[in-house]
Amino acid sequence: MTDGNQEQQLNLGGDDGGKKKKLLIIIIAAAVLLLGGGGAAVALSGGDSGSAEEPQVQLPGAAAPGIPEILYLNIKKPFVIQIPTKPRHRMMQVKMQITVNSQDNLDLATLHEPLIKNAISEVLYKYQNQPDIYNMIEGRREVKAACLKEVQEAMLKETGKPVVEKVLFTDFVMQ
């Protein structure tokens, strides 16, 4: 029994040295990370605080300088239209988003969302009797352009500016 206890004691002593080594490695790695982060901060700041030209850091998702901001308004409910075709009628479902170029325009578009939906639905119903137009990319582009024109005209009458930049079909299904 005593020999077994001595072996366990010896093994524990050996593990203690391994724990110390692991702890030392972790401390060194943390110090390297901290020093590396400080070095990165100095590199980003240009090295000296009196620098006339500081490099601009572009954050992901932020608009680049000189490029207009793009914001999206998701029209939650899809447009569903019955298209008369032979031998049976088909159904079309379109989900849309619109783009605007400022937060003010997004607020206006959100406020006037019913007006925007009405303008889009009028255009979709105008093309209802031309079912082949939805089967071609060029036809869909024509419908999107007509939707944009109608929405911009409606917003111009209501707010005094066109507000909307683009109309996007985010999902398009015909059955």
Side-chain angles (χ1 to χ4, degrees):
M1 276 287 193
T2 56
D3 290 336
N5 287 339
Q6 288 177 353
E7 285 179 1
Q8 287 178 352
Q9 289 175 355
L10 291 176
N11 284 342
L12 288 176
D15 283 345
D16 192 32
K19 288 180 183 178
K20 287 181 183 179
K21 287 181 184 178
K22 288 180 186 177
L23 182 62
L24 183 62
I25 291 172
I26 290 172
I27 291 171
I28 291 172
V32 168
L33 286 174
L34 288 175
L35 292 176
V42 169
L44 286 176
S45 68
D48 63 359
S49 59
S51 172
E53 288 184 40
E54 291 188 20
Q56 293 183 354
V57 177
Q58 178 64 33
L59 298 175
I67 296 176
E69 185 177 23
I70 298 174
L71 301 169
Y72 296 89
L73 173 65
N74 184 21
I75 299 175
K76 291 182 178 105
K77 286 193 171 183
F79 294 90
V80 179
I81 299 166
Q82 184 175 0
I83 299 177
T85 58
K86 295 191 181 190
R88 61 188 177 103
H89 295 299
R90 298 173 76 183
M91 298 297 288
M92 177 179 72
Q93 175 180 305
V94 183
K95 291 182 183 176
M96 294 188 185
Q97 289 190 359
I98 59 171
T99 64
V100 296
N101 61 6
S102 70
Q103 185 62 45
D104 291 338
N105 285 347
L106 182 62
D107 294 341
L108 281 173
T110 304
L111 177 66
H112 295 290
E113 189 174 348
L115 179 66
I116 292 170
K117 288 179 180 180
N118 182 59
I120 290 172
S121 65
E122 285 178 3
V123 172
L124 293 176
Y125 284 113
K126 280 182 193 175
Y127 286 97
Q128 181 180 15
N129 293 325
Q130 301 174 23
D132 292 336
I133 200 162
Y134 293 111
N135 292 330
M136 300 176 294
I137 295 290
E138 298 83 22
R140 290 182 195 172
R141 287 182 183 146
E142 180 182 329
V143 173
K144 282 197 303 189
C147 286
L148 177 62
K149 181 182 177 203
E150 194 71 29
V151 167
Q152 285 180 335
E153 287 176 1
M155 291 300 287
L156 189 60
K157 287 179 187 174
E158 192 66 30
T159 65
K161 57 184 181 176
V163 178
V164 176
E165 295 291 317
K166 287 184 184 178
V167 173
L168 306 171
F169 288 177
T170 57
D171 193 15
F172 190 92
V173 179
M174 283 183 68
Q175 295 183 358

